Amino acid sequence: MINAQDIRDRFAALRAKGMRHKDAAAAMGLSEGAAVAAHMDTHDKALRATRLHGPWVELLQALELCGPVLALTRNETTVHEKTGVYEKVSGSDAMGLALGEAIDLRLFFSRWHAGFAVSEAAANPGVLPSLSLQFFNAQGVAVHKIFVRDATDRDAFQSVIDSFTAPDEPVVFAAPEDKAVPREDSVIDTAGLAEAWRGMQDTHEFFGLLNKFGVERQQSFRLTEGEFTQRAELSAISGLLNEAAFDGTPIMVFVGSPGCIQIHSGPVVRIEPMEMKGHGENATPMRWLNVLDPGFNLHMREDRIASVWIVEKPTSDGVVTSVEAFDQQGELMAMFFGARKPGMPEREEWRRIVRELPRLQLATEAP
């Protein structure tokens, strides 16, 4: 077992090579949460961690006085960053919401295992240290992070940290969980699934529908393909972002972690593909699809997109259409919708963008 000092030494060396926290931890065979937790107590490294306590909803509510901060939620392939104020935060120990003008979150606090205030000194002595709050699930996977920005009231931010500081007791993280294996198609009530899908009145009913029929998300798309869903070319994500940027159509971009879903609502403007060299001698280049706008950044591993689905859900306001991207492990990378308010029909501009996306043929169709 690696002791804390060894973790700190190796982590600092990997950071000096330009590795992100998550990648540096993975290179050591650790979860990111375990790597951060090793930086508690007194030491001489650039990164320092202070353990925090909840209730997490109260901590997030206290952030409103700090002014604009950067909220970051990510999964294995996609990073979603929004700059704004934590407003209209509500919830319980299990679940919560943030419904601010910019920071729009669905929070699953029951999956938040540990939180830390993290300070990391910059290589340039004239630059203030990076200061953030970082939260992890029981397996040490980051569920949400909050970073100080130039417009942040750093004194107010430090006051929040002081108010929620916990004793620096060891934090124990569990081993990664095995991915659930979907049930066989043959045992799914496909007819019942389709009937329940036709009867939906709200998109929020969909999660309950999946649970009721014991069906995995992408499996449900496949079983109803041709009626409610259709496969799209892998280039569809790039296409919809560029088209939305070109004509100014406001969209919604959802990215989820194990404990949070973060949402952008509004236009996108600057769409930038980028190729980066991977770490290690035999690493393949990483192709990123980026949105680089003031207040909103999206970073998506375009080379990891394995499938894209166009999905229609009936609601009391008419059909609502999403475009959903999945990686090679079947994990949801991101979801895209046309921006709309409850009670309003879907925008025709969004429907036009979706109609023009390149489709794949049904598996049963002749070439």
Side-chain angles (χ1 to χ4, degrees):
M1 183 176 181
I2 311 174
N3 64 43
Q5 185 58 51
D6 286 343
I7 292 173
R8 292 193 289 264
D9 289 343
R10 293 175 61 186
F11 189 85
L14 293 168
R15 287 287 289 151
K17 294 180 179 179
M19 280 196 182
R20 299 180 305 164
H21 287 188
K22 176 178 176 294
D23 296 331
M28 293 188 289
L30 298 173
S31 70
E32 185 180 0
V36 170
H39 289 79
M40 293 192 298
D41 302 322
T42 303
H43 59 83
D44 62 354
K45 299 303 180 185
L47 189 144
R48 297 174 181 272
T50 301
R51 189 177 181 185
L52 302 172
H53 66 76
W56 302 126
V57 65
E58 294 181 12
L59 187 155
L60 296 187
Q61 288 169 337
L63 290 172
E64 184 169 2
L65 296 177
C66 301
V69 293
L70 183 141
L72 185 154
T73 300
R74 68 152 194 259
N75 50 49
E76 279 294 315
T77 57
T78 309
V79 183
H80 191 296
E81 301 172 348
K82 286 284 289 186
T83 299
V85 179
Y86 277 74
E87 302 171 302
K88 300 180 182 177
V89 177
S90 63
S92 64
D93 289 342
M95 299 182 70
L97 298 168
L99 298 174
E101 183 177 346
I103 307 296
D104 188 358
L105 308 171
R106 307 296 175 266
L107 301 152
F108 309 103
F109 293 129
S110 61
R111 301 175 190 172
W112 291 32
H113 177 67
F116 302 92
V118 177
S119 173
E120 187 167 21
N124 184 341
V127 177
L128 289 171
S130 167
L131 189 59
S132 63
L133 307 180
Q134 303 189 15
F135 304 94
F136 300 88
N137 73 357
Q139 289 72 41
V141 176
V143 294
H144 191 56
K145 297 185 180 184
I146 302 155
F147 289 85
V148 161
R149 283 295 176 255
D150 290 343
T152 307
D153 184 331
R154 292 181 75 102
D155 290 338
F157 198 86
Q158 185 60 53
S159 179
V160 173
I161 294 171
D162 294 342
S163 297
F164 289 89
T165 293
D168 277 354
E169 298 173 351
V171 182
V172 178
F173 291 101
E177 293 181 325
D178 292 333
K179 181 177 170 59
V181 178
R183 297 195 300 157
E184 294 291 334
D185 290 357
S186 59
V187 302
I188 304 296
D189 178 6
T190 303
L193 171 67
E195 183 178 1
W197 196 314
R198 292 185 202 105
M200 280 197 296
Q201 295 294 301
D202 190 294
T203 57
H204 296 101
E205 297 174 21
F206 189 66
F207 183 73
L209 183 150
L210 296 181
N211 284 338
K212 177 181 178 180
F213 289 92
V215 60
E216 187 266 340
R217 188 180 192 91
Q218 211 173 173
Q219 183 184 33
S220 77
F221 297 168
R222 185 164 44 75
L223 293 175
T224 59
E225 190 172 1
E227 181 174 3
F228 304 110
T229 68
Q230 192 168 1
R231 300 172 202 251
E233 298 278 1
L234 302 187
S235 61
I237 303 301
S238 173
L240 78 85
L241 286 173
N242 280 290
E243 192 61 29
F246 178 77
D247 65 12
T249 300
I251 64 173
M252 300 178 76
V253 184
F254 290 65
V255 172
S257 74
C260 179
I261 297 172
Q262 186 162 305
I263 306 165
H264 164 76
S265 298
V268 291
V269 178
R270 183 181 169 195
I271 315 301
E272 295 280 354
M274 183 182 303
E275 187 167 296
M276 295 177 61
K277 183 179 179 182
H279 297 290
E281 292 183 6
N282 300 316
T284 56
M286 299 178 288
R287 288 191 294 108
W288 291 91
L289 179 61
N290 304 293
V291 178
L292 303 175
D293 291 342
F296 173 53
N297 280 194
L298 179 75
H299 311 290
M300 190 173 190
R301 284 285 300 272
E302 191 171 16
D303 57 309
R304 298 278 294 275
I305 299 174
S307 60
V308 177
W309 290 88
I310 296 166
V311 183
E312 295 184 346
K313 300 185 184 79
T315 77
S316 57
D317 302 322
V319 171
V320 170
T321 313
S322 63
V323 180
E324 308 190 14
F326 295 81
D327 65 16
Q328 294 96 330
Q329 282 69 50
E331 297 294 333
L332 180 61
M333 299 171 68
M335 297 189 295
F336 302 85
F337 293 80
R340 72 179 192 96
K341 298 291 186 182
M344 300 294 292
E346 191 169 64
R347 292 173 181 267
E348 183 54 39
E349 312 96 277
W350 170 248
R351 289 183 174 175
R352 180 190 60 77
I353 289 173
V354 174
R355 279 198 305 268
E356 294 177 358
L357 294 177
R359 262 79 162 172
L360 293 177
Q361 287 183 317
L362 274 166
T364 55
E365 288 181 0

